[in-house]
């Protein structure tokens, strides 16, 4: 995960195809820190946020520090007290036709909401 590895080839997510099902594994981030007055802050970004926004490591941390409620002039001032935790999620995607096929062709009903 790019928060702990600065190599340019490290990806924030991986994607693989399992049969006809697409599996996307992404990494989320959770931070906790204190400001110079000892006030505690914490925040998390779901796995897809940094990727969807096109953010690099610094931009992601800057936005997450602000999301946590820190209003100091320089978000980097809290880096020395910050703990970073990552977590992974997996998302599986398939079309409705693929879903029906996986069920063995059995009848599937659904309600269309307008």
């Amino acid at each position: 995960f790019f928060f702990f590895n600065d190599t340019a080839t490290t990806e924030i997510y991986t994607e693989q195809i399992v049969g006809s099902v697409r599996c996307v594994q992404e990494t989320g981030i959770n931070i906790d820190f204190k400001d110079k007055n000892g006030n505690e802050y914490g925040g998390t970004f779901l796995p897809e946020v940094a990727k969807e926004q096109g953010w690099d490591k610094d931009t992601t941390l800057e936005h997450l520090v602000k999301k946590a409620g820190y209003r100091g002039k320089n978000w980097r001032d809290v880096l020395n007290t910050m703990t970073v935790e990552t977590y992974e999620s997996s998302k599986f995607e398939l079309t409705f036709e693929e879903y029906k096929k996986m069920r063995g062709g059995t009848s599937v009903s659904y309600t269309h909401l307008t």
Side-chain angles (χ1 to χ4, degrees):
F1 182 71
F2 70 73
F3 286 99
F4 301 111
N5 186 340
D6 288 332
T7 61
T9 58
T10 303
E11 296 286 336
I12 189 171
Y13 72 101
T14 59
E15 181 177 331
Q16 62 186 19
I17 305 296
V18 180
S20 62
V21 179
R22 186 170 78 108
C23 174
V24 177
Q25 294 176 314
E26 298 175 307
T27 303
I29 181 172
N30 185 69
I31 62 169
D32 292 297
F33 61 92
K34 293 181 182 180
D35 65 14
K36 64 182 178 183
N37 297 322
N39 298 312
E40 297 181 0
Y41 299 85
T44 190
F45 274 146
L46 297 175
E48 61 273 9
V49 173
K51 183 182 127 209
E52 287 176 359
Q53 298 300 320
W55 292 338
D56 62 10
K57 175 178 70 173
D58 286 345
T59 304
T60 301
L61 287 175
E62 178 182 4
H63 284 281
L64 191 49
V65 166
K66 289 179 182 177
K67 179 184 179 191
Y70 181 70
R71 300 294 178 246
K73 291 183 180 187
N74 187 349
W75 67 272
R76 293 177 186 272
D77 292 343
V78 299
L79 287 178
N80 63 336
T81 67
M82 185 180 292
T83 58
V84 179
E85 182 179 76
T86 61
Y87 55 93
E88 291 188 13
S89 73
S90 297
K91 177 171 55 174
F92 298 90
E93 299 174 347
L94 67 157
T95 67
F96 186 64
E97 291 302 317
E98 291 166 333
Y99 170 74
K100 289 193 306 187
K101 185 177 179 182
M102 285 178 56
R103 290 187 45 101
T106 60
S107 176
V108 177
S109 63
Y110 65 98
T111 304
H112 179 72
L113 301 175
T114 56

